[in-house]
């Protein structure tokens, strides 16, 4: 944080800390006390409520448990590949998806990166609900992710607006295509 006249400027790291303190962002903590955290996955309030809700017609409790384990992969695993984490088109929107595909229904978690190795999860979607990649459901899901970003980070831009390379988003990226070129 630095001051210029009467204005106070915060870095995006300061904003993240502030939003965590206010409870608007909540870190996903690995359930195993022995797990090493390599990256941070932060959940918006709405996202956390959705994933913690016990009974849900949209996604059953058991499937949410597997999804949570898949999300812990982002936090704990040394490497990540494009089958797990994918930058959605148009990349200028800066929206990514984490894919939970080992169990049915297949699930997508949308979110954005405020800084390297920090993913902000904004929404959970069943893949069968989203339909084709050009569908209105996909467009709404991406708009929702961007709207939640703005409500938390205001004028701060997510990573991806300046042509960043994959290694600038997260460590441990395996070779592969993380977006369509």
């Amino acid at each position: 944080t630095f001051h210029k006249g009467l204005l106070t400027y915060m870095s995006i790291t300061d904003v993240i800390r502030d939003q965590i303190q206010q409870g608007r962002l909540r870190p996903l903590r690995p359930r195993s006390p022995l797990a090493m955290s390599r990256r941070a996955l932060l959940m918006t309030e709405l996202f956390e409520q959705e994933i913690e809700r016990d009974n849900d017609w949209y996604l059953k409790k058991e499937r949410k448990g597997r999804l949570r384990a898949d999300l812990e992969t982002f936090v704990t695993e040394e490497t990540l590949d494009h089958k797990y984490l994918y930058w959605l088109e148009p990349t200028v929107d800066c929206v990514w998806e984490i894919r939970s595909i080992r169990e049915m229904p297949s699930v997508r978690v949308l979110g954005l990166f405020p800084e390297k190795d920090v993913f902000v999860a904004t929404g959970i979607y069943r893949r069968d609900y989203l339909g084709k990649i050009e569908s209105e459901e996909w467009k709404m899901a991406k708009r929702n992710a961007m709207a939640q970003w703005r409500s938390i980070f205001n004028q701060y831009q997510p990573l991806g607006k300046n042509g960043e390379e994959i290694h600038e988003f997260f460590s441990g990226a395996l070779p592969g295509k993380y977006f369509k070129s």
Side-chain angles (χ1 to χ4, degrees):
T1 305
F2 65 95
H3 303 280
K4 184 176 181 180
L6 296 175
L7 298 174
T8 300
Y9 296 93
M10 296 174 71
S11 71
I12 199 156
T13 303
D14 293 330
V15 174
I16 292 167
R17 276 193 217 109
D18 184 58
Q19 295 297 314
I20 290 170
Q21 286 177 340
Q22 291 181 36
R24 295 189 71 209
L25 290 175
R26 295 155 187 191
L28 179 83
R29 306 223 188 274
R31 289 194 170 147
S32 170
L34 302 176
M36 183 173 133
S37 291
R38 300 174 189 279
R39 297 173 208 85
L41 189 142
L42 304 175
M43 303 175 288
T44 63
E45 287 178 275
L46 290 173
F47 183 91
E48 185 186 47
Q49 290 168 6
E50 180 63 32
I51 203 165
E52 298 297 331
R53 188 179 305 146
D54 276 343
N55 295 318
D56 194 337
W57 63 270
Y58 187 68
L59 205 58
K60 302 290 183 224
K61 182 179 179 178
E62 298 79 26
R63 183 62 182 95
K64 284 184 182 180
R66 184 67 198 140
L67 171 61
R68 190 182 197 294
D70 286 342
L71 293 175
E72 286 184 24
T73 295
F74 181 82
V75 177
T76 63
E77 293 300 313
E78 189 171 341
T79 59
L80 301 172
D81 88 17
H82 65 282
K83 293 177 186 161
Y84 174 77
L85 188 62
Y86 194 77
W87 196 356
L88 297 172
E89 293 285 331
T91 56
V92 71
D93 291 341
C94 308
V95 178
W96 289 71
E97 69 174 343
I98 290 178
R99 299 170 171 174
S100 178
I101 58 175
R102 289 184 271 184
E103 285 185 21
M104 292 311 216
S106 177
V107 177
R108 301 300 192 262
V109 170
L110 299 191
L112 298 94
F113 284 91
E115 59 186 19
K116 183 176 181 173
D117 289 332
V118 179
F119 183 80
V120 176
T122 60
I124 302 170
Y125 301 92
R126 285 177 41 163
R127 183 63 183 87
D128 58 344
Y129 165 79
L130 291 169
K132 294 185 181 198
I133 197 71
E134 306 85 25
S135 73
E136 281 305 310
E137 288 79 6
W138 268 108
K139 291 174 186 171
M140 284 298 298
K142 289 187 273 186
R143 281 194 293 264
N144 181 50
M146 293 182 292
Q148 286 190 58
W149 172 272
R150 285 187 301 276
S151 77
I152 293 168
F153 293 103
N154 200 357
Q155 78 275 10
Y156 292 89
Q157 295 296 317
L159 290 181
K161 291 288 186 184
N162 300 312
E164 288 87 351
E165 299 290 325
I166 294 303
H167 69 277
E168 295 176 85
F169 288 94
F170 56 92
S171 56
L174 292 175
K177 291 180 91 175
Y178 289 83
F179 59 93
K180 290 181 184 175
S181 53

